[in-house]
Amino acid sequence: MSTEPAAAEDPGAAAAEQAESPGPEEAAPDAGTAPDATEPASDPSESDGDGETTAEGEAEGEGKSKADGDGDSAELSETEAEIAAQRELRERIEQRKASKQGPIDAGTKLSGTAADLLAAVRAVESGEKPVASAFQEPEPARRPAPSRAPEPVRPQQPAAAQAPAEEAVEAVRGVLAEGGAPPALAEQTAAVLGDGADGQLRADPWQLLRVTGVRPEQADGFARALLGAECGPDDERRGRAITVWLLEQAAVAGHTALDATTLHAALGQRAVPEPDAAVQSALAEGDALVFQDALEGTEVPVQRTDDGGAPDDSEGAEGADEEPERPVRVLIGLERYALAEESLADGLARVINSLSKDEDSGPADADWEAAAAQASGSAAELIRAVAGHGLVLHSGGEEARAEPAALVAAATALGLRVCAAAHSADGRRRLARATGADEAAVTVAGLLSGEQGPGRDAEGALALDLLVVLDAPQLDVETAAMLVESLPDGARLVLGGDPGVLWSAGPGRVFADLLSARCCPQVVSRTPDPGPIGELTSGIGIGELNQVEAPGKEVVLVPVRDPAEAIHRTVQLVADSVPRAIGVPAEQTQVITPGHGGAAGTRALNAALKERLNPGPGRFGGFDPDDRVAYVPAAGRTTLGRVVRADAEGLHLECDGAPVVVPKERVERQVRHAWALTAHQATGRRWPAAVVVLPGDAAEALSRPWVYTAFSRAERHLSVVQGVEQALPRAVAERLWKDRTTRLQTLLRPQVPAATV
């Protein structure tokens, strides 16, 4: 590792803004303007270094409620029993809402068992069906094993979201003006709250918290302006709204639910005087759901008599029949993510259990073995695992992608319908190069939308026998649920990726949960990434930051003393040093830094890089033709491209080879410059050269997954602009993943048999 000297300047500030997380700025840049604030910021009360909410603590709450009914409850699955147990609570919800609106419109994007159960709950609540008939399990109506459809069905593309009517926007703008909120929020507020948004705001000003970027203190000011003396911190509407807001912030940080004690503590920090009452109000209104999951690794406590002995069965049948309660953790979550996680667990169980054992339904065992014999090492192991199992996990670095590619080639040769999906367009190109089959390589988003891949069969399932998904750590629970529910019965699923990289921008830790659950075979690649960069990242993966030999300047360390010097040296590296010494032009070099804010965040770096590489007046929202940009149409979906032109329609971009037009009113929220990215934005992509910037005020944002992800984005050359000194090796050695609270392992446990790994 070579080192270059650096000059000195005053140290930078704003360390808190450096912390990177898949949060509001990560999901949608500069999303929304809030009252009395120019930019949303992460909240330290419920998040730490990288913005992820801590979800540790002792479980508390009432004992698990029992579902009403007769003998049918014994036949319910764990998920069904849990939903049925909330029936009485939901009846109270509907009684309170009956005078205002109909049933809660949620879960409409889900399918499968989770959607069926939700429909059953609502049928009971409305009186259409008695409990016994609503929750009686019918004979499963499964789709037949996949067959070759000569003409795959392409789903119609969903229509673009309709903008709210101008009259509705004007009405909301008037209410916002009364409360002192920025008029710019009117369109977004009308879209979020729907019909009668102005009336909803007058009745409950804290509904403004549902708008992206608005914070509790800003909603409090808005409520005080509208309600006057009626407004107080103990208002039930305030407690309910802040409860939902905290759960949404937790989802931004990756959690699908929050421990009840953690949620109560966060509410207390937000000056909610009675946190438990606020949570109960949110549950009663149907804004959140409660779950009680048995704690892993705990045993049912043995009941003892007063003299220390075990109870005598002869003392009475009632005492003998009672079972001691198993310790549980009480979790609170939003319905959207709870149902997605349940749907994902149900779909994975179906994939695991529905693989046909009939040799007439696909290639014979001998054919699979012959295909494995033509491969070697981990690739052969992967082919053998897929031959006998519906779900297989594969882990490894960049070079290990050759093993799923070998599987794709082998399965295609066996006559199976195969598709391989990657996280990004760049990942798709690398996958197509590895497999040698462009038509089989797609992106996950393109596959689900129907723009890429084989299309769907007459039943609406993907016309596939085998789906291989790489970059699986980037799957959030909603995307994973849609993928799994789209598979026909009998199809195989392989999830592969590098377990050392950062997790998904959306809620959940699907790949990590499946690795921990050990519910299916896991193939760990023995193929290391080559060269000095591969050696460096391999060490980081096990907690060691080693010096590596880099005779061709594959890895260069550039020490700096302050953020100003870091920006200067970064621009110099991208524009001069790397093109001259390494032969990689500036347009193929990517800058990666821990956060958007701060003295050397993406904003500051992009401003400096634009001035050097593509100067211009920025006539259209700060952008000029040929600017490198990141386009974020929805939370967690970032595509990279360049500006083509601007006109009355909006900003014209070319993203991953496709034209995109961003309307003028959305440019500020959805587009930012992209010479410099965060590690989360860079995940799933690689560049010939990468410059990783670590200014001194970013030390607290660093962790092993962040460093591993950032350093492994480089193919030929890596420059590290380093101002954190010993904080870097400490982060690699000591700071692991910040855990996320999820329920996937708990939901999977009763649905799948113990797997031989």
Side-chain angles (χ1 to χ4, degrees):
M1 180 185 299
S2 59
T3 305
E4 293 185 11
E9 295 242 359
D10 293 335
E17 287 189 9
Q18 288 289 343
E20 180 197 14
S21 71
E25 286 194 319
E26 194 69 56
D30 303 324
T33 304
D36 305 323
T38 57
E39 293 175 354
S42 60
D43 182 19
S45 68
E46 73 272 346
S47 63
D48 39 24
D50 66 353
E52 293 190 334
T53 306
T54 305
E56 299 297 325
E58 296 295 329
E60 71 174 18
E62 302 176 356
K64 190 171 184 178
S65 58
K66 309 288 184 184
D68 290 341
D70 43 30
D72 293 333
S73 61
E75 299 177 4
L76 299 179
S77 71
E78 182 175 340
T79 301
E80 293 170 323
E82 188 166 42
I83 294 180
Q86 298 182 39
R87 180 176 58 84
E88 293 183 358
L89 176 62
R90 286 183 170 277
E91 288 177 344
R92 293 197 300 272
I93 295 171
E94 294 305 318
Q95 289 173 4
R96 295 183 63 175
K97 287 195 168 186
S99 61
K100 297 184 290 182
Q101 59 186 32
I104 303 169
D105 185 17
T108 55
K109 293 185 179 180
L110 299 177
S111 59
T113 301
D116 295 339
L117 291 174
L118 182 60
V121 170
R122 289 173 175 164
V124 172
E125 293 168 353
S126 64
E128 296 178 7
K129 292 185 180 181
V131 176
S133 62
F135 287 98
Q136 185 175 4
E137 293 185 359
E139 289 296 321
R142 295 297 190 190
R143 294 187 288 266
S147 59
R148 296 188 176 278
E151 293 294 336
V153 180
R154 298 280 180 180
Q156 291 185 349
Q157 295 301 310
Q162 191 171 12
E166 185 57 34
E167 313 86 74
V169 174
E170 283 301 319
V172 170
R173 188 175 286 115
V175 179
L176 293 175
E178 290 181 38
L185 288 175
E187 184 175 354
Q188 191 179 1
T189 304
V192 169
L193 298 182
D195 294 338
D198 57 323
Q200 294 183 53
L201 283 177
R202 291 189 185 279
D204 183 357
W206 286 280
Q207 287 291 306
L208 191 65
L209 270 178
R210 294 175 57 185
V211 178
T212 302
V214 177
R215 301 178 59 77
E217 56 270 22
Q218 296 155 354
D220 286 343
F222 179 70
R224 282 193 297 270
L226 285 184
L227 301 179
E230 299 179 20
C231 176
D234 58 346
D235 194 301
E236 180 184 13
R237 295 167 294 182
R238 178 178 184 269
R240 184 168 61 246
I242 292 180
T243 298
V244 174
W245 182 83
L246 286 171
L247 292 173
E248 289 172 343
Q249 296 305 301
V252 168
H255 306 279
T256 59
L258 273 185
D259 187 280
T261 55
T262 301
L263 181 57
H264 287 174
L267 284 166
Q269 292 174 346
R270 288 286 171 189
V272 176
E274 297 185 17
D276 185 65
V279 172
Q280 293 301 323
S281 176
L283 295 174
E285 287 293 328
D287 294 328
L289 299 178
V290 62
F291 308 97
Q292 299 184 30
D293 295 338
L295 291 173
E296 297 183 39
T298 59
E299 297 181 358
V300 176
V302 178
Q303 292 182 326
R304 299 289 180 182
T305 60
D306 292 340
D307 59 3
D312 188 353
D313 289 347
S314 62
E315 292 180 1
E318 183 178 351
D321 291 340
E322 289 183 357
E323 294 184 2
E325 292 187 357
R326 186 179 296 275
V328 299
R329 63 172 182 171
V330 180
L331 300 176
I332 311 296
L334 298 174
E335 183 180 47
R336 169 183 175 181
Y337 303 116
L339 292 181
E341 209 158 22
E342 290 166 359
S343 177
L344 174 58
D346 178 72
L348 288 169
R350 178 174 61 85
V351 170
I352 292 172
N353 297 319
S354 68
L355 186 63
S356 176
K357 303 301 182 183
D358 186 359
E359 291 197 2
D360 293 336
S361 63
D365 292 344
D367 297 330
W368 281 106
E369 183 57 38
Q374 296 179 11
S376 61
S378 301
E381 185 180 351
L382 179 61
I383 294 172
R384 290 189 178 96
V386 171
H389 299 85
L391 176 65
V392 176
L393 306 180
H394 175 268
S395 59
E398 182 66 22
E399 286 297 304
R401 296 167 81 97
E403 295 159 14
L407 168 65
V408 169
T412 302
L414 291 174
L416 298 179
R417 299 171 298 173
V418 185
C419 187
H423 176 64
S424 64
D426 176 64
R428 178 192 182 189
R429 286 189 289 269
R430 303 197 320 268
L431 182 57
R433 189 165 59 244
T435 60
D438 291 354
E439 67 281 357
V442 300
T443 63
V444 170
L447 177 65
L448 289 174
S449 68
E451 296 176 358
Q452 301 167 6
R456 299 179 182 259
D457 61 23
E459 300 292 330
L462 292 170
L464 290 172
D465 302 314
L466 169 63
L467 174 61
V468 178
V469 180
L470 301 187
D471 305 316
Q474 276 65 68
L475 288 177
D476 59 74
V477 290
E478 290 186 302
T479 304
M482 287 189 287
L483 271 177
V484 172
E485 284 292 338
S486 296
L487 291 176
D489 282 0
R492 294 171 168 88
L493 174 64
V494 175
L495 298 178
D498 191 337
V501 300
L502 291 164
W503 290 333
S504 62
R509 30 165 276 170
V510 174
F511 192 60
D513 276 340
L514 288 174
L515 288 172
S516 299
R518 306 188 71 82
C519 59
C520 62
Q522 302 177 13
V523 178
V524 179
S525 174
R526 297 184 293 276
T527 305
D529 287 343
I533 297 177
E535 182 182 348
L536 177 64
T537 55
S538 294
I540 293 171
I542 60 173
E544 299 176 358
L545 186 64
N546 302 318
Q547 285 205 353
V548 296
E549 295 294 331
K553 292 189 177 181
E554 293 87 350
V555 180
V556 173
L557 178 65
V558 184
V560 294
R561 300 180 187 178
D562 56 65
E565 186 182 3
I567 293 176
H568 172 74
R569 297 307 301 272
T570 299
V571 174
Q572 185 181 57
L573 283 164
V574 173
D576 298 326
S577 302
V578 173
R580 183 180 66 252
I582 311 300
V584 177
E587 58 268 20
Q588 296 180 16
T589 300
Q590 183 61 55
V591 176
I592 301 172
T593 192
H596 293 301
T602 62
R603 294 190 188 95
L605 284 166
N606 274 316
L609 288 163
K610 173 175 171 55
E611 183 179 356
R612 176 64 182 274
L613 299 174
N614 194 44
R619 293 191 187 92
F620 198 97
F623 298 98
D624 293 297
D626 290 327
D627 277 356
R628 283 172 62 171
V629 293
Y631 170 53
V632 187
R637 289 180 55 194
T638 300
T639 58
L640 303 182
R642 67 179 186 89
V643 175
V644 177
R645 68 181 190 279
D647 56 24
E649 288 186 82
L651 191 65
H652 292 252
L653 311 176
E654 181 185 346
C655 295
D656 296 326
V660 174
V661 180
V662 183
K664 182 167 64 174
E665 63 273 12
R666 298 181 187 172
V667 169
E668 185 178 359
R669 297 198 308 269
Q670 297 183 344
V671 185
R672 69 164 67 244
H673 287 109
W675 286 283
L677 300 173
T678 65
H680 277 286
Q681 291 177 318
T683 304
R685 301 172 174 88
R686 281 166 66 88
W687 291 267
V691 177
V692 178
V693 184
L694 305 175
D697 55 2
E700 292 302 315
L702 300 181
S703 64
R704 185 189 300 176
W706 193 96
V707 176
Y708 183 93
T709 302
F711 285 18
S712 60
R713 298 309 92 198
E715 293 176 337
R716 292 170 49 192
H717 172 79
L718 170 67
S719 284
V720 182
V721 179
Q722 215 271 60
V724 293
E725 299 179 346
Q726 293 306 306
L728 178 57
R730 280 199 302 271
V732 170
E734 301 171 6
R735 293 182 184 173
L736 304 179
W737 288 261
K738 293 192 178 298
D739 202 9
R740 296 181 174 186
T741 304
T742 63
R743 302 181 62 237
L744 183 57
Q745 291 188 64
T746 301
L747 294 169
L748 274 175
R749 201 177 302 123
Q751 298 197 55
V752 298
T756 302
V757 182

